[in-house]
Amino acid sequence: MTITITAFERSPDGGMGLARDTRVRWALEEAGQPYEVRPVSFSAMKEPAHLGLQPFGQIPTYEEGDLTLFESGAIIFHIAERHGGLLPDDANARARAITWMFAALNSVEPPILELVTVRFVEGDKPWSKERLPLIVDRIRHRLGQLSVRLGDAAWLDGAFSAGDLMMVSVLLRAKPSGILGEFPTLAAYVARGEARPAYQRAFAAQLAFNTGKPPAS
Ligand code: GTB
C-alpha cells in the first residue's frame, strides 16, 4: 500500500531538514519503506481538506490505505511498530525505547521550541531579550541531564532505536543555536545519527524537495 506523507511546499529553512517531515522520512528510510510526499502550501494547510487530515493545520501527516495519522511522534511510533529495525523485540527494551521517544518530545523538545519562538516569533517584543537567557539556561539544564545519562554510550539504550531517532531529530533543532556544541558527547551522538545512511537519504530527499534539485548521487 502506498504511503503518502505531507511536507511544506517550501520549508522556511530552505531544506536544512528541520521541519518535522524529515524525522518521518528518516523513520521510513530506516524501515525500508518507500513513500510519496505531497507538498502543502501554508494556505492549503488551513483549508478543510488538510484540516481533515491534521486538525491543527500542520505537517506532517501520514496516509496509508484507509489509515490517516498526524503528529510526528504517533507516525514514527506506527512505522516502528509495523516494521523492523526501530524497536527492540524484547518487551522491556521496547518499552524503554518508547519512553525515550516520549522523553524527546515531552522533556527535551519543549525548551528548544521555546528558543525558536522567543527568537523568531516574539523577537520584537520588549520582554524577549530578558526571556532569552532563561530559556537558554533551561535548554542547557536539560541537555546537561541528557548528556549525563548518555555518558559515553553510542545510543540511549543499547542498539539504535526510534527513541534515538526522535532524540537526534529534536536535538538537531538546537544545533543552529550553538548550544548543542557545548555538550560534545551529545554533539557526537547527533553526528552519529546524521551519519546513518537512512538519515542521509531522508535529508537528501527533503533537500531536493525544497530546492527543486535532484539529490546528489
Ligand atoms: N506536534 C506536531 C508534530 O510533531 O507533528 C507539530 C507539527 C508542526 O509543528 N508542524 C509545523 C507546521 O506545520 C512544521 S514542523 N507549521 C505550520 C503551521 O503551524 O502553520 C516545525 C518547523 C517549522 C519550520 C522549521 N524551519 O523552517 O526551520 C522547522 C520546524
Side-chain angles (χ1 to χ4, degrees):
M1 224 171 304
T2 307
I3 294 171
T4 305
I5 66 167
T6 51
F8 284 133
E9 191 173 46
R10 282 282 176 274
S11 178
D13 71 358
M16 278 175 65
L18 300 177
R20 286 182 174 91
D21 58 295
T22 303
R23 57 183 72 168
V24 173
R25 292 171 184 266
W26 184 8
L28 287 165
E29 292 287 353
E30 291 283 354
Q33 295 303 304
Y35 62 96
E36 292 178 357
V37 183
R38 191 170 60 247
V40 193
S41 67
F42 275 96
S43 57
M45 248 176 248
K46 313 302 173 196
E47 295 290 334
H50 189 75
L51 290 170
L53 306 176
Q54 217 289 8
F56 310 116
Q58 298 182 313
I59 59 95
T61 59
Y62 176 102
E63 291 154 80
E64 186 182 13
D66 57 8
L67 175 68
T68 300
L69 297 173
F70 60 97
E71 286 296 332
S72 58
I75 295 169
I76 291 167
F77 185 38
H78 169 77
I79 296 166
E81 285 224 299
R82 288 286 165 96
H83 308 284
L86 281 167
L87 285 175
D89 291 333
D90 173 77
N92 284 354
R94 199 175 177 91
R96 288 195 302 272
I98 294 165
T99 299
W100 279 116
M101 290 182 70
F102 277 87
L105 293 171
N106 287 341
S107 298
V108 179
E109 193 166 47
I112 294 173
L113 288 185
E114 273 190 78
L115 181 65
V116 176
T117 305
V118 79
R119 276 201 172 148
F120 301 109
V121 185
E122 300 166 349
D124 58 344
K125 302 284 186 249
W127 36 261
S128 80
K129 269 206 172 63
E130 259 184 273
R131 194 159 178 254
L132 190 60
L134 303 176
I135 293 168
V136 169
D137 277 353
R138 235 171 266 157
I139 299 175
R140 280 202 183 106
H141 182 59
R142 263 298 180 273
L143 297 197
Q145 292 171 315
L146 185 64
S147 72
V148 168
R149 171 53 79 99
L150 180 67
D152 53 14
W155 305 114
L156 287 166
D157 194 298
F160 175 83
S161 77
D164 295 297
L165 185 151
M166 195 62 85
M167 191 63 83
V168 168
S169 299
V170 161
L171 293 175
L172 275 167
R173 203 90 200 263
K175 204 174 160 183
S177 72
I179 303 175
L180 183 67
E182 295 174 21
F183 299 88
T185 55
L186 287 186
Y189 168 67
V190 169
R192 269 193 295 283
E194 290 178 290
R196 291 180 70 83
Y199 178 84
Q200 297 278 318
R201 288 193 296 274
F203 183 87
Q206 68 74 36
L207 182 63
F209 189 83
N210 280 295
T211 58
K213 293 184 193 146
S217 51

PDB file of all heavy atoms in Angstrom, residues 144-174:
ATOM      1  N   GLY A 144      22.324  19.021  29.689  1.00  0.00           N
ATOM      2  CA  GLY A 144      23.297  18.539  30.678  1.00  0.00           C
ATOM      3  C   GLY A 144      22.820  17.217  31.275  1.00  0.00           C
ATOM      4  O   GLY A 144      23.581  16.243  31.383  1.00  0.00           O
ATOM      5  N   GLN A 145      21.548  17.166  31.653  1.00  0.00           N
ATOM      6  CA  GLN A 145      20.990  15.930  32.223  1.00  0.00           C
ATOM      7  C   GLN A 145      21.053  14.787  31.210  1.00  0.00           C
ATOM      8  O   GLN A 145      21.401  13.653  31.539  1.00  0.00           O
ATOM      9  CB  GLN A 145      19.533  16.165  32.648  1.00  0.00           C
ATOM     10  CG  GLN A 145      19.393  17.120  33.820  1.00  0.00           C
ATOM     11  CD  GLN A 145      17.931  17.501  34.053  1.00  0.00           C
ATOM     12  OE1 GLN A 145      17.196  17.811  33.108  1.00  0.00           O
ATOM     13  NE2 GLN A 145      17.520  17.493  35.308  1.00  0.00           N
ATOM     14  N   LEU A 146      20.712  15.115  29.962  1.00  0.00           N
ATOM     15  CA  LEU A 146      20.711  14.075  28.922  1.00  0.00           C
ATOM     16  C   LEU A 146      22.128  13.560  28.668  1.00  0.00           C
ATOM     17  O   LEU A 146      22.341  12.354  28.517  1.00  0.00           O
ATOM     18  CB  LEU A 146      20.113  14.656  27.630  1.00  0.00           C
ATOM     19  CG  LEU A 146      19.934  13.683  26.473  1.00  0.00           C
ATOM     20  CD1 LEU A 146      18.934  12.575  26.808  1.00  0.00           C
ATOM     21  CD2 LEU A 146      19.506  14.423  25.212  1.00  0.00           C
ATOM     22  N   SER A 147      23.093  14.479  28.675  1.00  0.00           N
ATOM     23  CA  SER A 147      24.468  14.043  28.400  1.00  0.00           C
ATOM     24  C   SER A 147      24.993  13.161  29.534  1.00  0.00           C
ATOM     25  O   SER A 147      25.755  12.235  29.291  1.00  0.00           O
ATOM     26  CB  SER A 147      25.390  15.232  28.130  1.00  0.00           C
ATOM     27  OG  SER A 147      25.629  15.937  29.308  1.00  0.00           O
ATOM     28  N   VAL A 148      24.546  13.439  30.768  1.00  0.00           N
ATOM     29  CA  VAL A 148      24.944  12.565  31.890  1.00  0.00           C
ATOM     30  C   VAL A 148      24.391  11.160  31.652  1.00  0.00           C
ATOM     31  O   VAL A 148      25.095  10.159  31.790  1.00  0.00           O
ATOM     32  CB  VAL A 148      24.435  13.133  33.241  1.00  0.00           C
ATOM     33  CG1 VAL A 148      24.573  12.101  34.356  1.00  0.00           C
ATOM     34  CG2 VAL A 148      25.192  14.406  33.594  1.00  0.00           C
ATOM     35  N   ARG A 149      23.127  11.071  31.247  1.00  0.00           N
ATOM     36  CA  ARG A 149      22.522   9.758  31.028  1.00  0.00           C
ATOM     37  C   ARG A 149      23.177   9.018  29.855  1.00  0.00           C
ATOM     38  O   ARG A 149      23.436   7.827  29.917  1.00  0.00           O
ATOM     39  CB  ARG A 149      21.015   9.898  30.802  1.00  0.00           C
ATOM     40  CG  ARG A 149      20.347   8.619  30.353  1.00  0.00           C
ATOM     41  CD  ARG A 149      20.653   7.440  31.292  1.00  0.00           C
ATOM     42  NE  ARG A 149      19.865   7.483  32.472  1.00  0.00           N
ATOM     43  CZ  ARG A 149      18.748   6.778  32.663  1.00  0.00           C
ATOM     44  NH1 ARG A 149      18.346   5.932  31.725  1.00  0.00           N
ATOM     45  NH2 ARG A 149      18.071   6.893  33.771  1.00  0.00           N
ATOM     46  N   LEU A 150      23.454   9.764  28.770  1.00  0.00           N
ATOM     47  CA  LEU A 150      24.065   9.108  27.604  1.00  0.00           C
ATOM     48  C   LEU A 150      25.466   8.618  27.942  1.00  0.00           C
ATOM     49  O   LEU A 150      25.870   7.538  27.525  1.00  0.00           O
ATOM     50  CB  LEU A 150      24.119  10.085  26.416  1.00  0.00           C
ATOM     51  CG  LEU A 150      24.740   9.535  25.136  1.00  0.00           C
ATOM     52  CD1 LEU A 150      23.877   8.416  24.523  1.00  0.00           C
ATOM     53  CD2 LEU A 150      24.957  10.657  24.109  1.00  0.00           C
ATOM     54  N   GLY A 151      26.190   9.399  28.765  1.00  0.00           N
ATOM     55  CA  GLY A 151      27.573   9.034  29.099  1.00  0.00           C
ATOM     56  C   GLY A 151      28.380   8.885  27.834  1.00  0.00           C
ATOM     57  O   GLY A 151      28.272   9.703  26.928  1.00  0.00           O
ATOM     58  N   ASP A 152      29.183   7.786  27.757  1.00  0.00           N
ATOM     59  CA  ASP A 152      29.933   7.612  26.511  1.00  0.00           C
ATOM     60  C   ASP A 152      29.332   6.499  25.654  1.00  0.00           C
ATOM     61  O   ASP A 152      30.009   5.919  24.808  1.00  0.00           O
ATOM     62  CB  ASP A 152      31.430   7.402  26.787  1.00  0.00           C
ATOM     63  CG  ASP A 152      31.654   6.282  27.780  1.00  0.00           C
ATOM     64  OD1 ASP A 152      30.692   5.523  28.035  1.00  0.00           O
ATOM     65  OD2 ASP A 152      32.789   6.159  28.283  1.00  0.00           O
ATOM     66  N   ALA A 153      28.042   6.220  25.874  1.00  0.00           N
ATOM     67  CA  ALA A 153      27.359   5.210  25.048  1.00  0.00           C
ATOM     68  C   ALA A 153      27.091   5.777  23.654  1.00  0.00           C
ATOM     69  O   ALA A 153      27.011   6.996  23.464  1.00  0.00           O
ATOM     70  CB  ALA A 153      26.037   4.816  25.699  1.00  0.00           C
ATOM     71  N   ALA A 154      26.934   4.863  22.691  1.00  0.00           N
ATOM     72  CA  ALA A 154      26.633   5.305  21.319  1.00  0.00           C
ATOM     73  C   ALA A 154      25.177   5.763  21.223  1.00  0.00           C
ATOM     74  O   ALA A 154      24.872   6.763  20.575  1.00  0.00           O
ATOM     75  CB  ALA A 154      26.906   4.173  20.329  1.00  0.00           C
ATOM     76  N   TRP A 155      24.274   5.007  21.858  1.00  0.00           N
ATOM     77  CA  TRP A 155      22.837   5.293  21.774  1.00  0.00           C
ATOM     78  C   TRP A 155      22.248   5.274  23.171  1.00  0.00           C
ATOM     79  O   TRP A 155      22.899   4.840  24.131  1.00  0.00           O
ATOM     80  CB  TRP A 155      22.142   4.269  20.851  1.00  0.00           C
ATOM     81  CG  TRP A 155      22.755   4.183  19.489  1.00  0.00           C
ATOM     82  CD1 TRP A 155      23.418   3.112  18.949  1.00  0.00           C
ATOM     83  CD2 TRP A 155      22.800   5.223  18.479  1.00  0.00           C
ATOM     84  NE1 TRP A 155      23.874   3.407  17.675  1.00  0.00           N
ATOM     85  CE2 TRP A 155      23.497   4.690  17.362  1.00  0.00           C
ATOM     86  CE3 TRP A 155      22.321   6.529  18.411  1.00  0.00           C
ATOM     87  CZ2 TRP A 155      23.731   5.445  16.195  1.00  0.00           C
ATOM     88  CZ3 TRP A 155      22.543   7.268  17.257  1.00  0.00           C
ATOM     89  CH2 TRP A 155      23.235   6.724  16.165  1.00  0.00           C
ATOM     90  N   LEU A 156      21.017   5.706  23.314  1.00  0.00           N
ATOM     91  CA  LEU A 156      20.454   5.918  24.656  1.00  0.00           C
ATOM     92  C   LEU A 156      20.226   4.627  25.435  1.00  0.00           C
ATOM     93  O   LEU A 156      20.311   4.616  26.666  1.00  0.00           O
ATOM     94  CB  LEU A 156      19.138   6.707  24.546  1.00  0.00           C
ATOM     95  CG  LEU A 156      19.336   8.185  24.203  1.00  0.00           C
ATOM     96  CD1 LEU A 156      18.016   8.824  23.763  1.00  0.00           C
ATOM     97  CD2 LEU A 156      19.926   8.947  25.387  1.00  0.00           C
ATOM     98  N   ASP A 157      19.882   3.558  24.741  1.00  0.00           N
ATOM     99  CA  ASP A 157      19.607   2.310  25.463  1.00  0.00           C
ATOM    100  C   ASP A 157      19.965   1.117  24.574  1.00  0.00           C
ATOM    101  O   ASP A 157      19.092   0.547  23.925  1.00  0.00           O
ATOM    102  CB  ASP A 157      18.117   2.252  25.848  1.00  0.00           C
ATOM    103  CG  ASP A 157      17.838   1.164  26.872  1.00  0.00           C
ATOM    104  OD1 ASP A 157      18.067  -0.025  26.561  1.00  0.00           O
ATOM    105  OD2 ASP A 157      17.418   1.484  27.983  1.00  0.00           O
ATOM    106  N   GLY A 158      21.220   0.808  24.494  1.00  0.00           N
ATOM    107  CA  GLY A 158      21.639  -0.326  23.657  1.00  0.00           C
ATOM    108  C   GLY A 158      21.677   0.062  22.193  1.00  0.00           C
ATOM    109  O   GLY A 158      22.240   1.098  21.831  1.00  0.00           O
ATOM    110  N   ALA A 159      21.011  -0.753  21.362  1.00  0.00           N
ATOM    111  CA  ALA A 159      21.065  -0.506  19.910  1.00  0.00           C
ATOM    112  C   ALA A 159      20.237   0.727  19.539  1.00  0.00           C
ATOM    113  O   ALA A 159      19.316   1.115  20.268  1.00  0.00           O
ATOM    114  CB  ALA A 159      20.540  -1.734  19.168  1.00  0.00           C
ATOM    115  N   PHE A 160      20.574   1.311  18.384  1.00  0.00           N
ATOM    116  CA  PHE A 160      19.806   2.443  17.848  1.00  0.00           C
ATOM    117  C   PHE A 160      18.325   2.061  17.774  1.00  0.00           C
ATOM    118  O   PHE A 160      17.976   0.952  17.381  1.00  0.00           O
ATOM    119  CB  PHE A 160      20.317   2.773  16.432  1.00  0.00           C
ATOM    120  CG  PHE A 160      19.512   3.835  15.737  1.00  0.00           C
ATOM    121  CD1 PHE A 160      19.756   5.179  15.981  1.00  0.00           C
ATOM    122  CD2 PHE A 160      18.495   3.487  14.839  1.00  0.00           C
ATOM    123  CE1 PHE A 160      19.005   6.169  15.342  1.00  0.00           C
ATOM    124  CE2 PHE A 160      17.744   4.471  14.194  1.00  0.00           C
ATOM    125  CZ  PHE A 160      17.996   5.806  14.449  1.00  0.00           C
ATOM    126  N   SER A 161      17.454   3.000  18.168  1.00  0.00           N
ATOM    127  CA  SER A 161      16.010   2.731  18.159  1.00  0.00           C
ATOM    128  C   SER A 161      15.255   3.998  17.751  1.00  0.00           C
ATOM    129  O   SER A 161      15.854   5.079  17.566  1.00  0.00           O
ATOM    130  CB  SER A 161      15.539   2.303  19.551  1.00  0.00           C
ATOM    131  OG  SER A 161      15.433   3.453  20.382  1.00  0.00           O
ATOM    132  N   ALA A 162      13.934   3.857  17.678  1.00  0.00           N
ATOM    133  CA  ALA A 162      13.074   5.018  17.396  1.00  0.00           C
ATOM    134  C   ALA A 162      13.260   6.096  18.467  1.00  0.00           C
ATOM    135  O   ALA A 162      13.038   7.282  18.205  1.00  0.00           O
ATOM    136  CB  ALA A 162      11.619   4.580  17.329  1.00  0.00           C
ATOM    137  N   GLY A 163      13.679   5.691  19.670  1.00  0.00           N
ATOM    138  CA  GLY A 163      13.953   6.672  20.731  1.00  0.00           C
ATOM    139  C   GLY A 163      15.121   7.567  20.342  1.00  0.00           C
ATOM    140  O   GLY A 163      15.082   8.792  20.532  1.00  0.00           O
ATOM    141  N   ASP A 164      16.165   6.963  19.757  1.00  0.00           N
ATOM    142  CA  ASP A 164      17.308   7.763  19.303  1.00  0.00           C
ATOM    143  C   ASP A 164      16.922   8.609  18.093  1.00  0.00           C
ATOM    144  O   ASP A 164      17.343   9.766  17.988  1.00  0.00           O
ATOM    145  CB  ASP A 164      18.483   6.839  18.936  1.00  0.00           C
ATOM    146  CG  ASP A 164      19.023   6.091  20.138  1.00  0.00           C
ATOM    147  OD1 ASP A 164      19.530   6.748  21.064  1.00  0.00           O
ATOM    148  OD2 ASP A 164      18.918   4.845  20.165  1.00  0.00           O
ATOM    149  N   LEU A 165      16.141   8.016  17.200  1.00  0.00           N
ATOM    150  CA  LEU A 165      15.730   8.767  16.001  1.00  0.00           C
ATOM    151  C   LEU A 165      15.010  10.050  16.425  1.00  0.00           C
ATOM    152  O   LEU A 165      15.271  11.139  15.915  1.00  0.00           O
ATOM    153  CB  LEU A 165      14.828   7.883  15.137  1.00  0.00           C
ATOM    154  CG  LEU A 165      14.405   8.451  13.781  1.00  0.00           C
ATOM    155  CD1 LEU A 165      14.175   7.308  12.775  1.00  0.00           C
ATOM    156  CD2 LEU A 165      13.143   9.283  13.857  1.00  0.00           C
ATOM    157  N   MET A 166      14.131   9.913  17.418  1.00  0.00           N
ATOM    158  CA  MET A 166      13.367  11.078  17.861  1.00  0.00           C
ATOM    159  C   MET A 166      14.273  12.056  18.607  1.00  0.00           C
ATOM    160  O   MET A 166      14.195  13.276  18.407  1.00  0.00           O
ATOM    161  CB  MET A 166      12.221  10.607  18.763  1.00  0.00           C
ATOM    162  CG  MET A 166      11.179  11.647  18.978  1.00  0.00           C
ATOM    163  SD  MET A 166      10.380  12.118  17.437  1.00  0.00           S
ATOM    164  CE  MET A 166       9.136  10.868  17.322  1.00  0.00           C
ATOM    165  N   MET A 167      15.146  11.518  19.474  1.00  0.00           N
ATOM    166  CA  MET A 167      16.005  12.415  20.263  1.00  0.00           C
ATOM    167  C   MET A 167      16.977  13.175  19.357  1.00  0.00           C
ATOM    168  O   MET A 167      17.161  14.393  19.516  1.00  0.00           O
ATOM    169  CB  MET A 167      16.780  11.608  21.316  1.00  0.00           C
ATOM    170  CG  MET A 167      17.476  12.461  22.344  1.00  0.00           C
ATOM    171  SD  MET A 167      16.313  13.449  23.350  1.00  0.00           S
ATOM    172  CE  MET A 167      15.821  12.239  24.585  1.00  0.00           C
ATOM    173  N   VAL A 168      17.580  12.469  18.405  1.00  0.00           N
ATOM    174  CA  VAL A 168      18.511  13.153  17.489  1.00  0.00           C
ATOM    175  C   VAL A 168      17.755  14.211  16.689  1.00  0.00           C
ATOM    176  O   VAL A 168      18.239  15.350  16.512  1.00  0.00           O
ATOM    177  CB  VAL A 168      19.217  12.123  16.554  1.00  0.00           C
ATOM    178  CG1 VAL A 168      19.953  12.824  15.418  1.00  0.00           C
ATOM    179  CG2 VAL A 168      20.182  11.246  17.351  1.00  0.00           C
ATOM    180  N   SER A 169      16.546  13.872  16.242  1.00  0.00           N
ATOM    181  CA  SER A 169      15.752  14.842  15.455  1.00  0.00           C
ATOM    182  C   SER A 169      15.478  16.101  16.263  1.00  0.00           C
ATOM    183  O   SER A 169      15.547  17.223  15.749  1.00  0.00           O
ATOM    184  CB  SER A 169      14.422  14.212  15.026  1.00  0.00           C
ATOM    185  OG  SER A 169      14.641  13.091  14.212  1.00  0.00           O
ATOM    186  N   VAL A 170      15.156  15.917  17.536  1.00  0.00           N
ATOM    187  CA  VAL A 170      14.853  17.050  18.411  1.00  0.00           C
ATOM    188  C   VAL A 170      16.128  17.876  18.678  1.00  0.00           C
ATOM    189  O   VAL A 170      16.108  19.108  18.635  1.00  0.00           O
ATOM    190  CB  VAL A 170      14.239  16.500  19.728  1.00  0.00           C
ATOM    191  CG1 VAL A 170      14.321  17.502  20.846  1.00  0.00           C
ATOM    192  CG2 VAL A 170      12.797  16.041  19.485  1.00  0.00           C
ATOM    193  N   LEU A 171      17.245  17.178  18.930  1.00  0.00           N
ATOM    194  CA  LEU A 171      18.496  17.885  19.228  1.00  0.00           C
ATOM    195  C   LEU A 171      19.007  18.661  18.019  1.00  0.00           C
ATOM    196  O   LEU A 171      19.643  19.718  18.166  1.00  0.00           O
ATOM    197  CB  LEU A 171      19.567  16.893  19.707  1.00  0.00           C
ATOM    198  CG  LEU A 171      19.296  16.238  21.065  1.00  0.00           C
ATOM    199  CD1 LEU A 171      20.366  15.184  21.365  1.00  0.00           C
ATOM    200  CD2 LEU A 171      19.249  17.274  22.191  1.00  0.00           C
ATOM    201  N   LEU A 172      18.713  18.146  16.828  1.00  0.00           N
ATOM    202  CA  LEU A 172      19.148  18.861  15.615  1.00  0.00           C
ATOM    203  C   LEU A 172      18.593  20.274  15.584  1.00  0.00           C
ATOM    204  O   LEU A 172      19.199  21.186  15.047  1.00  0.00           O
ATOM    205  CB  LEU A 172      18.677  18.093  14.373  1.00  0.00           C
ATOM    206  CG  LEU A 172      19.611  16.969  13.912  1.00  0.00           C
ATOM    207  CD1 LEU A 172      18.915  16.072  12.897  1.00  0.00           C
ATOM    208  CD2 LEU A 172      20.894  17.560  13.316  1.00  0.00           C
ATOM    209  N   ARG A 173      17.444  20.439  16.196  1.00  0.00           N
ATOM    210  CA  ARG A 173      16.800  21.764  16.220  1.00  0.00           C
ATOM    211  C   ARG A 173      17.586  22.742  17.104  1.00  0.00           C
ATOM    212  O   ARG A 173      17.441  23.953  16.984  1.00  0.00           O
ATOM    213  CB  ARG A 173      15.382  21.540  16.747  1.00  0.00           C
ATOM    214  CG  ARG A 173      14.348  22.532  16.410  1.00  0.00           C
ATOM    215  CD  ARG A 173      13.582  22.269  15.157  1.00  0.00           C
ATOM    216  NE  ARG A 173      12.948  23.501  14.685  1.00  0.00           N
ATOM    217  CZ  ARG A 173      11.699  23.838  14.918  1.00  0.00           C
ATOM    218  NH1 ARG A 173      10.910  23.037  15.571  1.00  0.00           N
ATOM    219  NH2 ARG A 173      11.216  24.982  14.479  1.00  0.00           N
ATOM    220  N   ALA A 174      18.417  22.197  18.037  1.00  0.00           N
ATOM    221  CA  ALA A 174      19.221  23.055  18.921  1.00  0.00           C
ATOM    222  C   ALA A 174      20.596  23.339  18.325  1.00  0.00           C
ATOM    223  O   ALA A 174      21.353  24.146  18.856  1.00  0.00           O
ATOM    224  CB  ALA A 174      19.384  22.391  20.292  1.00  0.00           C
TER     225      ALA A 174
END
